[in-house]
Amino acid sequence: MTINYYQQNADEFFNGTINVDMSNIYQHFTKDLPAGSLILDAGCGSGRDSKAFLCMGYKVDAFDASLEMVKRASKYTVLDVKHAAFNDVTAIDKYDAIWCCASLLHVPEDDLPSTLATLAAALKPNGIWYVSFKYGDSQREKDGRSFTDINEQRLTELVSSLSNIDISSTWITEDDRPDRNEKWLNAILVKH
């Protein structure tokens, strides 16, 4: 259902997200990330963040589950963006950092623990991992998309199932898109 939404609304989504100013969140994510680090942009959408990281001097691998978004992100970033889902990630200890901006929120709640474990395995020890979810504590459907909303308590419960991941920081932001009045839970996770 959610992938179909992005297939059918790819241009609208691309145009609505490509110019959102993420600089404050990038600063949280990159402050301890050495130049040249390899970042996985997991569920890259428009490619906005992949391109920003490339411009900062990082190396980026990116994927998205929507083929239409992959086409747009590849063109925008000039990266070979892969058409894949979270459970297609097979890398072990490969990435210095993982970026999951508004992407894990489409994973059903029952599947989140295994999805997080797959991504955690791909992260190098001492790696940095950014995640964001719409703020809340429910599963819902809206406008042809499924959402798993997460608050601090739910995030703590999810991360506690991962033996080698800790929450470094969390903060709440307002959606920067002009037609939205939503709160987001942002978190930096670290692997030990």
Side-chain angles (χ1 to χ4, degrees):
M1 174 176 78
T2 299
I3 293 171
N4 287 340
Y5 172 89
Y6 291 107
Q7 290 291 98
Q8 296 167 7
N9 298 281
D11 286 333
E12 179 184 343
F13 183 80
F14 182 93
N15 293 330
T17 59
I18 200 68
N19 293 315
V20 174
D21 180 6
M22 300 291 289
S23 56
N24 183 41
I25 295 173
Y26 295 155
Q27 288 174 350
H28 280 278
F29 180 64
T30 62
K31 69 181 171 91
D32 297 318
L33 195 60
S37 295
L38 178 58
I39 298 172
L40 175 63
D41 189 349
C44 68
S46 65
R48 171 197 65 208
D49 304 325
S50 290
K51 186 165 188 170
F53 297 138
L54 289 168
C55 290
M56 291 179 210
Y58 296 107
K59 295 176 278 191
V60 179
D61 286 348
F63 72 83
D64 200 273
S66 162
L67 185 56
E68 290 301 318
M69 294 312 302
V70 166
K71 291 175 186 175
R72 285 156 184 79
S74 294
K75 183 177 179 183
Y76 182 68
T77 62
V78 196
L79 283 172
D80 179 19
V81 176
K82 302 287 186 234
H83 180 221
F86 295 116
N87 59 4
D88 295 322
V89 174
T90 57
I92 303 293
D93 296 339
K94 178 177 180 178
Y95 296 99
D96 299 297
I98 298 177
W99 177 263
C100 294
C101 183
S103 56
L104 289 168
L105 54 76
H106 294 307
V107 176
E109 186 172 19
D110 291 345
D111 296 338
L112 267 173
S114 62
T115 300
L116 291 175
T118 296
L119 293 172
L123 189 62
K124 288 180 181 177
N126 301 310
I128 297 165
W129 186 2
Y130 170 77
V131 298
S132 64
F133 294 87
K134 291 188 185 211
Y135 192 83
D137 63 358
S138 64
Q139 281 205 174
R140 61 191 170 86
E141 292 180 13
K142 182 180 178 190
D143 301 330
R145 292 183 288 175
S146 298
F147 292 96
T148 300
D149 298 339
I150 299 288
N151 58 24
E152 295 91 342
Q153 178 183 344
R154 292 180 81 179
L155 181 66
T156 300
E157 290 166 3
L158 275 170
V159 172
S160 69
S161 70
L162 304 169
S163 61
N164 57 353
I165 301 289
D166 292 320
I167 299 171
S168 173
S169 63
T170 62
W171 69 100
I172 296 171
T173 54
E174 300 283 337
D175 198 306
D176 282 335
R177 292 172 289 179
D179 59 338
R180 301 294 176 99
N181 184 22
E182 297 173 311
K183 292 186 184 300
W184 290 82
L185 176 65
N186 303 268
I188 299 290
L189 313 178
V190 291
K191 184 173 182 177
H192 52 81

